[in-house]
Amino acid sequence: MSQLPECDYRKPQRLSFADDEARFPWLVTLLDAYATIDQGVSAAIRSEQLNGRELACAKGCSSCCATHQDIPVYPLELMGMSWYVIEKLASPLREQLKQQLENIEKINTCPFLLDGACSIHPMRPIACRQFNVLDKACAEGEDAFHSRRKDVMIPIKRFTDEAFDTMLPFYGIRKKGERRKAIKQGKLHSVAKVMRDCNWQTLPEKMHAFDHKNK
Ligand code: SF4
Ligand code: SF4
């Protein structure tokens, strides 16, 4: 298990877990989709920079992870987040997260926020990847989406559509024409869940079982 370096928006790279991708074909799909999303975020940042604007989001800035209550997450993303936590998350974050998830009812932030940083950063969902604020970092408790929408970066649709197109076969929508129609109709949104409402309480037990099997 290893911690991965932070993603650099200037040089987005597809994450690679060769052994795991050989075991889990769905992981290939998810990582391909995330690579497209990250390229889209990078292109949007570059475009904002041409207009004299700068990304305010930075490592250590995380009040959005405490404020946002309704972050959507798709089933394929849930699988990726769970897999990462169970099989990849290294110490000391591993123990800290286990403890946090065992006491999930006591926290009012995203369950994966640890010491002001995202413990699953490489596998954070699309909604987190695409939520970026320009010029001025959010104040504590501020939700820039409501307080100053003009500073929230708008994702470039063609990248989002391409990522959804990559993911749709996982949901049984395989033919090109059907995929195009599903994207146009926003069909994928109907399978999204709210991240904080998901059953993360079962993860610590699965982490224990994985650790026991691999010690
Ligand atoms: S969205 Fe706001 S709080 Fe979150 S990282 Fe960006 S500037 Fe910081
Ligand atoms: S998954 Fe990570 S980036 Fe997204 S809200 Fe939670 S802590 Fe923040």
Side-chain angles (χ1 to χ4, degrees):
M1 288 176 289
S2 63
Q3 288 302 122
L4 291 161
E6 292 294 313
C7 169
D8 182 344
Y9 283 129
R10 283 157 299 193
K11 294 182 228 146
Q13 286 184 347
R14 184 194 183 279
L15 293 166
S16 174
F17 296 91
D19 293 348
D20 302 278
E21 290 178 59
R23 284 193 298 146
F24 304 128
W26 58 263
L27 185 57
V28 179
T29 304
L30 182 61
L31 295 177
D32 285 347
Y34 281 166
T36 303
I37 291 291
D38 291 346
Q39 281 167 14
V41 170
S42 180
I45 293 170
R46 285 198 306 274
S47 160
E48 293 290 356
Q49 284 169 337
L50 290 176
N51 293 324
R53 310 203 72 187
E54 280 302 331
L55 182 68
C57 304
K59 197 173 176 186
C61 187
S62 61
S63 65
C64 52
C65 306
T67 312
H68 293 181
Q69 299 288 329
D70 51 3
I71 297 167
V73 60
Y74 298 98
L76 183 56
E77 295 188 298
L78 286 174
M79 289 170 69
M81 293 160 79
S82 300
W83 160 78
Y84 184 79
V85 167
I86 295 166
E87 299 199 13
K88 295 288 154 196
L89 195 65
S91 298
L93 282 185
R94 187 171 185 83
E95 287 70 36
Q96 279 179 265
L97 185 63
K98 243 188 232 175
Q99 208 173 22
Q100 177 151 294
L101 294 175
E102 279 165 355
N103 295 284
I104 202 165
E105 69 289 345
K106 294 185 188 155
I107 58 162
N108 194 29
T109 65
C110 170
F112 301 103
L113 183 66
L114 281 182
D115 295 337
C118 177
S119 58
I120 57 161
H121 195 262
M123 297 301 285
R124 68 202 186 288
I126 290 172
C128 301
R129 294 176 121 84
Q130 288 188 326
F131 191 80
N132 290 286
V133 167
L134 300 163
D135 296 339
K136 191 175 84 162
C138 308
E140 201 178 323
E142 179 187 15
D143 184 345
F145 188 77
H146 296 291
S147 62
R148 48 190 172 102
R149 182 88 54 101
K150 67 175 180 32
D151 290 345
V152 175
M153 202 169 68
I154 298 169
I156 301 173
K157 188 174 176 308
R158 93 183 140 84
F159 288 94
T160 311
D161 286 355
E162 192 185 322
F164 283 172
D165 190 59
T166 301
M167 292 195 290
L168 278 169
F170 175 81
Y171 300 101
I173 303 173
R174 293 193 174 82
K175 288 186 183 156
K176 196 172 177 184
E178 287 173 2
R179 298 203 308 269
R180 202 173 292 151
K181 196 169 155 197
I183 289 167
K184 211 170 169 190
Q185 294 174 342
K187 264 199 176 159
L188 209 48
H189 304 311
S190 65
V191 294
K193 301 193 180 323
V194 173
M195 184 155 73
R196 289 201 196 187
D197 295 346
C198 296
N199 185 13
W200 302 116
Q201 291 93 324
T202 60
L203 278 183
E205 206 179 313
K206 291 173 184 164
M207 293 164 86
H208 279 303
F210 182 85
D211 291 344
H212 185 70
K213 203 172 135 197
N214 291 283
K215 73 179 172 191

